[in-house]
Amino acid sequence: MRIEGVSNDGGLNIAKVNKEGQLKTRSVTATEIENSVASGDAFQVYTGVINLTSSAKTAVLYLQNDDVSDILVTGATIGAGLSTGGANNSVLVEAVGNTATSDDIVQNGTDVPFINRNGGAARQFVGVCRKGPSTSAVNGVPVSGALSDYTVEQQFELTNIISKGGNLAIEVTPPAGNTGMNMTITVSFHVIEAV
């Protein structure tokens, strides 16, 4: 945040105290996300289309933080097509922390690139992102979840901190009887500034 004080002669000072002892300042503020995008510390990952061919709980995304600081995951956008064979179109989406490195998606998932949300920034995020479908769910601790009809793209409220060295996975459970359902996931996050 930048703070400027304006003196009586038009010059700029960091801060100015008036004759009543009051501090006069002029400031510009930005949200943490806006600041992170502007400074090149905000990223996204996108799975592309993943086809789920059963109703089994399936790991679809794995995100590991090996960067310089903790990261804040601010949301996930889920897009799902209609289920073939499914009893309905409801999908359970869950975020799971502390995923085991032996889990199938970690070992056999397809690498996904990190995209800097500031197109002109050269900074690259240090970590691992893999997409499924995995042959199984992940072992870990569920941290949030939502059951919804994902016939249209929806925002999944996923606000989690992944500490440096930590990870998070997203797994989905398609409707009973599902034999085919296309899904895409975009996860947004930014590096948390040390204060």
Side-chain angles (χ1 to χ4, degrees), residues 12-159:
L12 294 176
N13 297 309
I14 297 297
K16 178 100 176 154
V17 178
N18 67 14
K19 61 185 176 183
E20 287 87 29
Q22 298 169 324
L23 181 65
K24 291 187 175 185
T25 63
R26 190 180 97 194
S27 67
V28 177
T29 61
T31 67
E32 185 176 347
I33 293 173
E34 292 167 338
N35 186 55
S36 295
V37 171
S39 64
D41 285 331
F43 300 88
Q44 282 185 328
V45 291
Y46 171 67
T47 62
V49 177
I50 296 171
N51 185 257
L52 304 174
T53 58
S54 76
S55 58
K57 184 179 285 191
T58 304
V60 292
L61 185 102
Y62 169 78
L63 177 60
Q64 178 178 313
N65 176 14
D66 295 323
D67 212 81
V68 297
S69 187
D70 297 350
I71 61 174
L72 177 64
V73 178
T74 54
T77 302
I78 309 296
L82 295 173
S83 171
T84 301
N88 52 43
N89 211 55
S90 293
V91 179
L92 175 63
V93 179
E94 296 175 280
V96 180
N98 301 320
T99 302
T101 56
S102 60
D103 283 339
D104 185 60
I105 193 165
V106 181
Q107 297 293 317
N108 301 311
T110 304
D111 287 339
V112 174
F114 295 99
I115 301 166
N116 194 309
R117 292 175 64 189
N118 178 336
R123 186 192 190 303
Q124 295 183 359
F125 179 75
V126 180
V128 175
C129 186
R130 297 210 168 101
K131 69 175 182 176
S134 167
T135 56
S136 61
V138 294
N139 297 297
V141 180
V143 292
S144 61
L147 176 64
S148 185
D149 183 334
Y150 284 95
T151 357
V152 294
E153 187 174 285
Q154 293 189 24
Q155 182 75 17
F156 172 45
E157 290 302 320
L158 179 64
T159 306

Side-chain angles (χ1 to χ4, degrees), residues 32 69 192-195:
E32 185 176 347
S69 187
I192 299 173
E193 291 182 30
V195 284

